[in-house]
Amino acid sequence: SEMGRMLKAMTGADKINVANLGNVVAQLHVHVVARRQADAAWPGPVWGQGEAQPYDLNELANMRDHLLAQLGGLKSRL
C-alpha cells in the first residue's frame, strides 16, 4: 500500500504489517504497523505483547504532519 511505503520510508522499518480488523468495533478499520526486528514482540503480533510505550507528543505531531503532507501529494496525483 502507498501508506505502508510512506511509513516504511519515514520510520526505517524492516517490515510493514497491514491488518483489516473489525471484531471489536462495528466499523472496519485498517492498521498499518511499522515493525523492526528489534521489536519486543518480533516476529509475533504487536497486539497483547508487552507494555505500550507512548510517543513524545511533538514527535507524534511531526509524524502526523509528514504523513498528511505525503497523502496530500498522493491525492494531487490521482
Side-chain angles (χ1 to χ4, degrees):
S1 75
E2 190 68 26
M3 176 59 84
R5 284 188 286 277
M6 288 186 286
L7 191 58
K8 187 171 184 177
M10 186 174 73
T11 64
D14 297 311
K15 182 172 175 53
I16 297 294
N17 293 145
V18 179
N20 303 324
L21 302 173
N23 57 333
V24 176
V25 296
Q27 74 276 9
L28 172 68
H29 55 282
V30 178
H31 294 259
V32 182
V33 183
R35 301 292 308 272
R36 291 192 179 91
Q37 290 185 13
D39 287 355
W42 184 272
V46 294
W47 293 279
Q49 303 296 319
E51 255 182 71
Q53 300 296 316
Y55 280 99
D56 171 81
L57 291 179
N58 289 328
E59 181 183 343
L60 186 59
N62 288 337
M63 183 183 296
R64 178 203 60 214
D65 293 345
H66 179 77
L67 286 171
L68 287 173
Q70 293 292 313
L71 288 171
L74 175 63
K75 182 180 176 184
S76 67
R77 293 190 317 232
L78 296 176

